[in-house]
Amino acid sequence: MFEELLDNYIRFLQSLSLEHFIRLFWFYIFFEFLRYFVLEFAVLNLWKMSKWFNRKKYAKAKKDFLFEYPLVSIIIPGKNEGKHLYKLIKSLNEQTYKNTEIIVVDDGSDDDTEVIGRSLEKAGMIDVFIRNEVRGGKASGANTALRFTKGKFIVHLDADCSYDRDAIEKIIIPFYEDKDVAGVGGNVMVRNYDESLVTSLQAIEYYDTIAIGRVVTSYLGIYRIISGAFGAFRADALEQVKGWDIGPGLDGDITVKLRKLGYKIKFEQEAVCLTNVPNTFKKLVRQRLRWDKSLIRFRVRKHKDVLVPNQSFSFLNFFAFLENITYNLILNFKWYIYLIDMVANYPSQLVNIIITNILLYTFTNFVKFVIYSLYRARVNASYTYFLIYIPCMVFYFGYFLRIVRTVAYFQEFFFKRSYKDPWNPEKTSAHAQRMNL
């Protein structure tokens, strides 16, 4: 049976002309390979060269930052983060940059967060501990912390993350390279990469798709989301946009609000944060449904004015939204059109087409992972550890995440399910829906 299948597949490959190859694999060629390899690789080289040419500018920015030595306010909102808090605060106290204040907001926890937070405050390891008796949600916690900050820059962290010793220093320097920068995103990597298959796949995703994608979009001026796990902001800019609106999706939302005011947003690859990602596919589905629904809620509904020429129209914002909606929404459904095209027009060759697609994507993923080692800040383990998981990535990206995105888009388009997400308190989401936030 296998020999027959292999023989049939070899004859299929031998029969392919260039024209026929393009006809059968047009989705991969035009919408995946060109965008996610050829264009990315070209931009990465330009970015690498610009870093070399601007090395003196970076050195001056670092010198100016350390000479001014501004106060940096670190805010940590969260619920039931007691088990993570001491380890995080200890790592923040070991940062190379020392002029910081640490503000922790306990958003209605029912674990020992309050006891641990109060003891850390008493020991002088944090500056302010605030307890919200009634849970208000992530945005509420962040905005509560914001009212107590005194720093020129605000760094928003997640309590369950850890940070390189120079992470705070590295994430602030871009503000001194360009005075128009109002927000800088840190580089989030997967700490628990070796916990399960799903965490290993996410680690590769974070290295290549997320981090490399953000390097590219930042260089092009269309970077559109600062991760809530590690993001820095100018305090005056946050005051202008009145802080965070109710999420989920608040990370991308505040980034867009800053961009609409004309500010620049940058990604700093060398400011490294380590986070624990979902360790089962069930948990990952819940997370990604929340993430993907935010594209519809914030890009398609709340901030749709970015796509319309008006007094404050920006081509870069327009292009950032258009690229995001095209590749994450439109092409997600375009893939189903491709699938229908193949089923309808080439049913007898469908198995060979699927096999070839898998091989094409797998080969591309291997090449990307190896070549992109020239552009990554670092990885957590040896490259050989991750190489064995590369063949799984085509199924992870091409099928699993695509189906999750599709479900999320339908849920949000037709039922506005993000307002029912337990990630936010029910009363907070109801208020957000009334205010069209």
Side-chain angles (χ1 to χ4, degrees):
M1 179 67 179
F2 175 76
E3 290 182 358
E4 183 181 342
L5 182 65
L6 181 60
D7 186 57
N8 180 53
Y9 183 64
I10 291 172
R11 287 200 303 271
F12 165 76
L13 292 179
Q14 291 173 339
S15 69
L16 283 178
S17 65
L18 178 61
E19 183 181 354
H20 194 207
F21 179 81
I22 293 172
R23 173 66 183 92
L24 293 180
F25 305 106
W26 56 267
F27 189 86
Y28 164 80
I29 296 168
F30 297 112
F31 299 121
E32 301 281 357
F33 182 73
L34 287 179
R35 163 64 178 85
Y36 292 108
F37 184 70
V38 176
L39 178 61
E40 269 191 0
F41 185 62
V43 175
L44 282 171
N45 281 290
L46 292 173
W47 166 75
K48 196 79 170 178
M49 286 189 292
S50 73
K51 282 195 70 175
W52 188 84
F53 283 117
N54 292 324
R55 64 193 186 282
K56 291 182 179 178
K57 181 180 178 182
Y58 181 86
K60 182 181 184 303
K62 181 177 179 179
K63 182 179 178 181
D64 291 344
F65 163 51
L66 296 177
F67 179 78
E68 182 181 339
Y69 207 59
L71 178 64
V72 175
S73 299
I74 300 173
I75 64 173
I76 309 163
K79 180 179 185 290
N80 292 342
E81 299 288 3
K83 61 183 177 181
H84 303 295
L85 207 50
Y86 177 77
K87 188 182 294 185
L88 169 64
I89 299 305
K90 188 174 183 296
S91 74
L92 292 177
N93 278 250
E94 294 172 350
Q95 285 289 308
T96 55
Y97 190 74
K98 300 299 183 183
N99 192 20
T100 61
E101 61 173 1
I102 302 173
I103 300 169
V104 176
V105 175
D106 173 10
D107 189 35
S109 297
D110 50 26
D111 66 351
D112 54 1
T113 298
E114 183 177 15
V115 174
I116 295 170
R118 298 286 183 204
S119 66
L120 289 170
E121 185 181 36
K122 187 175 181 180
M125 294 180 72
I126 66 175
D127 296 273
V128 180
F129 178 82
I130 305 160
R131 162 79 177 178
N132 289 336
E133 293 297 334
V134 179
R135 180 183 171 223
K138 192 70 172 285
S140 173
N143 290 329
T144 299
L146 197 58
R147 292 200 294 270
F148 290 84
T149 59
K150 303 184 186 72
K152 180 176 180 179
F153 301 102
I154 312 296
V155 176
H156 183 292
L157 305 182
D158 279 351
D160 61 347
C161 297
S162 57
Y163 301 84
D164 282 6
R165 291 185 70 248
D166 60 356
I168 300 298
E169 177 182 318
K170 289 285 181 67
I171 204 169
I172 299 298
I173 293 173
F175 292 105
Y176 288 80
E177 287 187 278
D178 188 337
K179 301 302 181 185
D180 291 328
V181 171
V184 179
N187 185 8
V188 181
M189 295 183 182
V190 175
R191 180 169 52 204
N192 60 332
Y193 64 88
D194 57 353
E195 191 173 333
S196 66
L197 170 63
V198 68
T199 60
S200 295
L201 296 179
Q202 288 174 88
I204 298 171
E205 178 190 11
Y206 275 62
Y207 290 141
D208 283 352
T209 306
I210 296 179
I212 293 295
R214 289 178 179 178
V215 167
V216 169
T217 54
S218 179
Y219 179 79
L220 294 174
I222 59 173
Y223 175 42
R224 55 187 170 264
I225 181 167
I226 294 176
S227 172
F230 192 22
F233 306 88
R234 274 174 38 186
D236 61 333
L238 282 184
E239 186 177 347
Q240 282 183 270
V241 298
K242 304 186 185 307
W244 285 265
D245 285 347
I246 298 166
L250 69 165
D251 306 337
D253 177 53
I254 197 165
T255 309
V256 173
K257 291 200 297 180
L258 290 169
R259 289 183 63 97
K260 286 169 76 172
L261 289 179
Y263 288 116
K264 295 178 183 178
I265 307 296
K266 294 294 182 181
F267 175 71
E268 179 48 66
Q269 188 188 200
E270 294 183 8
V272 176
C273 156
L274 296 176
T275 188
N276 285 339
V277 295
N279 58 3
T280 67
F281 282 101
K282 184 178 180 180
K283 292 177 183 177
L284 180 60
V285 167
R286 286 201 298 267
Q287 181 199 65
R288 296 309 172 92
L289 285 174
R290 186 173 71 246
W291 287 10
D292 293 329
K293 282 183 283 194
S294 68
L295 182 140
I296 306 301
R297 177 168 166 177
F298 293 109
R299 299 289 194 272
V300 177
R301 289 205 299 264
K302 181 178 178 180
H303 295 295
K304 62 180 180 292
D305 58 316
V306 168
L307 298 169
V308 180
N310 53 43
Q311 195 171 13
S312 57
F313 178 79
S314 163
F315 177 76
L316 279 179
N317 287 342
F318 172 83
F319 185 70
F321 264 52
L322 189 64
E323 192 269 348
N324 190 204
I325 292 171
T326 298
Y327 279 92
N328 289 282
L329 177 62
I330 297 174
L331 290 188
N332 185 70
F333 291 103
K334 188 83 171 178
W335 181 83
Y336 292 102
I337 294 173
Y338 167 75
L339 193 60
I340 292 168
D341 175 27
M342 294 300 107
V343 171
N345 294 303
Y346 303 96
S348 63
Q349 299 182 33
L350 194 58
V351 172
N352 291 327
I353 291 170
I354 292 172
I355 292 172
T356 307
N357 266 306
I358 290 171
L359 292 175
L360 286 170
Y361 280 101
T362 301
F363 176 75
T364 304
N365 289 335
F366 267 115
V367 172
K368 284 177 64 174
F369 190 80
V370 173
I371 291 180
Y372 285 3
S373 64
L374 300 171
Y375 308 95
R376 293 190 198 94
R378 62 179 173 85
V379 294
N380 295 349
S382 67
Y383 284 103
T384 53
Y385 173 87
F386 294 107
L387 285 175
I388 63 174
Y389 294 98
I390 295 294
C392 301
M393 295 304 292
V394 62
F395 303 100
Y396 175 71
F397 277 124
Y399 300 96
F400 173 73
L401 290 184
R402 194 184 302 277
I403 291 169
V404 172
R405 279 198 302 270
T406 304
V407 172
Y409 295 157
F410 272 108
Q411 287 181 342
E412 191 62 19
F413 257 129
F414 299 108
F415 305 106
K416 297 186 177 180
R417 287 285 293 276
S418 65
Y419 293 106
K420 306 295 182 184
D421 197 309
W423 190 81
N424 265 327
E426 186 178 346
K427 64 172 185 177
T428 305
S429 290
H431 174 72
Q433 189 167 13
R434 286 194 300 272
M435 300 295 293
N436 289 319
L437 295 177

